[in-house]
């Protein structure tokens, strides 16, 4: 596919975080863009407000005619979350259109740039957002496709030049096998997406295969302890890139950063959690490979604002703290717990969690129960199905039975506000990758008023 020959791009599933970034890219380079999504969302509203034609019914007759009449110059992009029975997908598939997965298009766009790819079952979005921020702040001309809304750019897309690209190397559906990076990192390889891979060993094998897709002379960064060959990064260990002498002052980490060639003292970083320190460290290491000066990168680390729904402070006062996080895997919940315990010790914490996917809940039920049981007070919402049909016996109630917290309860979304007020926490957490994110604005508004 040659992008110059494409005049129109039609997206099936345009509202996804990765798809919407691609839609912004094509609109930015003056291609006609339109698309379908199942439901309206803040992302689709924003795309529509920029002039992109979007509809919400699977109906080929409402697809703009100019897209259906021009097979030669129309590219159709779809997400794996769309079922193969989707009527619009079937129409384009059977009528001679060029139709590609999002990951294929991302691979094509970035293959001729100096590509920096962030892989891992956790930490991709935060790490790639930090990396994009560091490169932009140090004057590198980049295009960045992010899996979340960066608070520094207020977007999931940045086009500041085309020589360098920053992408998330997504393991779902083996999407990252479409990329050919110059520099890559692997943040984690915890078992996940077992509906795709079958078992943890197959997931691990695929990560190893991904690392072999580096361009000749490429650099791989690996979190210390992972079974991969590469430059290591870690905290207070024998890593090639290492953080030492951590202090916390007014909610900010202050530490020394050691590379194979130099040591920087008094580096600052404002995102809570040791997992975020590691994300910042590997972003720093990758940015050095793009030629950014280390001392300038250290200054830029201190100004990183964050990513929406990644340990995002919604309310932060002496009396009440409200944090929202995308955590949807036991390892991520553990990281949130550790960050809260480190930054807000001895506070009464209430955790509200919405499980994401029936298959993930089934596969990691005991691990979810263990991670949630670290919180004394737990409210559980029903499982968010996303692309899945229910599985017999796999329910939020079944999961809650496994949780050992002294105060636990299954609630509906309509009960969230009344339960928060009843329990009167000092720290409130909302966690999950489903539509719990849509409740955050309501909670923030109500609790700000209550305060």
């Amino acid at each position: 596919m040659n992008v110059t020959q494409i005049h129109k791009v039609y997206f099936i599933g345009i509202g996804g975080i990765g798809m919407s970034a691609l839609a912004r890219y094509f609109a930015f380079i003056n291609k006609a863009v339109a698309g379908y999504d199942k439901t309206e969302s803040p992302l689709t509203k924003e795309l529509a407000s920029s002039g992109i034609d979007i509809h919400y019914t699977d109906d080929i007759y409402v697809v703009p005619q100019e897209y259906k009449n021009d097979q030669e110059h129309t590219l159709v992009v779809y997400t794996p979350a769309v079922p193969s029975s989707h009527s619009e997908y079937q129409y384009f598939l059977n009528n001679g259109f060029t139709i590609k997965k999002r990951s294929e298009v991302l691979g094509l766009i970035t293959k001729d740039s100096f590509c920096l790819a962030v892989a891992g079952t956790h930490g991709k979005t935060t790490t790639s957002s930090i990396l994009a921020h560091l490169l932009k702040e140090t004057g590198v001309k980049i295009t960045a496709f992010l899996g979340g809304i960066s608070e520094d750019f207020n977007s999931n897309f940045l086009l500041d030049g085309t020589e360098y690209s920053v992408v998330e190397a997504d393991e779902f559906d083996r999407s990252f096998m479409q990329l050919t990076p110059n520099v890559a990192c692997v943040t984690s390889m915890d078992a996940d997406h077992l509906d795709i891979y079958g078992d943890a060993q197959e997931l691990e094998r695929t990560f190893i295969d991904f690392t072999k897709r580096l361009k000749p002379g490429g650099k791989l960064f690996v979190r210390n302890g992972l079974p991969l060959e590469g430059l290591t990064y870690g905290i207070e260990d024998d890593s090639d890139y290492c953080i030492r002498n951590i202090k916390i002052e007014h909610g900010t980490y202050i530490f020394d950063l050691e590379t194979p060639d130099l040591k920087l003292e008094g580096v600052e970083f404002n995102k809570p959690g040791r997992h975020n320190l590691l994300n910042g460290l590997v972003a720093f290491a990758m940015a050095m490979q793009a030629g950014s000066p280390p001392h300038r990168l250290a200054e830029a680390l201190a100004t990183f604002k964050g990513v929406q729904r990644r340990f995002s402070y919604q309310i932060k006062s002496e009396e009440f703290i409200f944090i929202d996080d995308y955590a949807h895997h036991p390892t991520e919940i553990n990281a949130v717990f550790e960050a809260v315990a480190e930054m807000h010790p001895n506070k009464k914490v209430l955790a509200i969690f919405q499980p994401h996917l029936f298959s993930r809940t089934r596969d990691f039920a005991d691990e979810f129960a263990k991670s949630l049981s670290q919180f004394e007070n737990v409210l559980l919402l029903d499982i968010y199905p996303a692309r899945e049909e229910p599985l017999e016996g796999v329910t939020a109630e079944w999961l809650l039975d496994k949780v050992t917290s002294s105060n636990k309860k299954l609630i509906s979304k309509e009960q969230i506000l009344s339960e928060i007020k009843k329990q009167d926490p000092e720290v409130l957490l909302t966690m999950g990758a489903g539509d719990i994110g849509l409740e955050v604005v309501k909670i923030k508004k109500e609790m700000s008023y209550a305060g």
Side-chain angles (χ1 to χ4, degrees), residues 128-142:
S128 56
S129 297
I130 298 170
L131 178 55
H133 169 72
L134 296 183
L135 293 173
K136 186 176 190 302
E137 287 296 296
T138 53
V140 178
K141 299 302 181 185
I142 62 163

Side-chain angles (χ1 to χ4, degrees), residues 266-326:
V267 180
E268 296 185 12
F269 189 65
N270 293 304
K271 291 305 292 180
R274 299 292 173 108
H275 62 298
N276 280 323
L277 268 181
L278 286 167
N279 294 337
L281 174 59
V282 72
F284 177 98
M286 293 175 77
M288 282 186 66
Q289 298 301 314
S292 293
H295 288 85
R296 185 69 193 91
L297 287 173
E299 292 171 3
L301 262 184
T303 62
F304 174 68
K305 293 178 184 175
V307 183
Q308 288 182 16
R309 304 217 63 228
R310 269 54 172 198
F311 211 90
S312 298
Y313 283 99
Q314 302 297 315
I315 300 174
K316 193 175 184 182
S317 68
E318 288 293 320
E319 299 77 28
F320 180 68
I321 292 164
F322 173 25
I323 299 162
D324 178 48
D325 196 277
Y326 192 68

Side-chain angles (χ1 to χ4, degrees), residues 365-398:
D366 291 340
E367 291 88 345
F368 273 122
K370 187 176 179 182
S371 61
L372 288 168
S373 296
Q374 296 173 103
F375 297 99
E376 190 176 331
N377 310 290
V378 176
L379 297 176
L380 204 61
L381 297 172
D382 280 332
I383 298 169
Y384 183 78
R387 57 187 178 270
E388 295 185 339
E389 295 298 321
L391 295 172
E392 188 176 349
V394 180
T395 65
E397 193 170 18
W398 170 70

Side-chain angles (χ1 to χ4, degrees), residues 120-122 124 169-176 188-204 206-207 326 328-330 332 356-357 359-364 368 387-388 433:
T121 45
H122 324 293
K124 289 187 295 293
D170 190 0
E171 74 280 0
F172 175 71
D173 198 38
R174 295 178 171 84
S175 292
F176 57 7
S188 49
M189 296 194 311
D190 294 308
D192 200 4
H193 304 303
L194 299 188
D195 54 327
I196 302 290
Y197 290 97
D199 58 39
Q201 289 71 35
E202 179 60 24
L203 176 72
E204 188 173 303
T206 310
F207 268 100
Y326 192 68
H328 57 286
H329 185 282
E332 296 165 349
H356 184 262
L357 298 180
S359 61
R360 184 181 281 125
T361 306
R362 175 200 62 201
D363 293 339
F364 304 106
F368 273 122
R387 57 187 178 270
E388 295 185 339

Side-chain angles (χ1 to χ4, degrees), residues 21 179 204 216 241 245 248 355 365 404 411 414:
L179 299 172
E204 188 173 303
Y241 291 76
N245 305 320
I248 299 173
T404 61
I411 64 166
E414 291 71 28

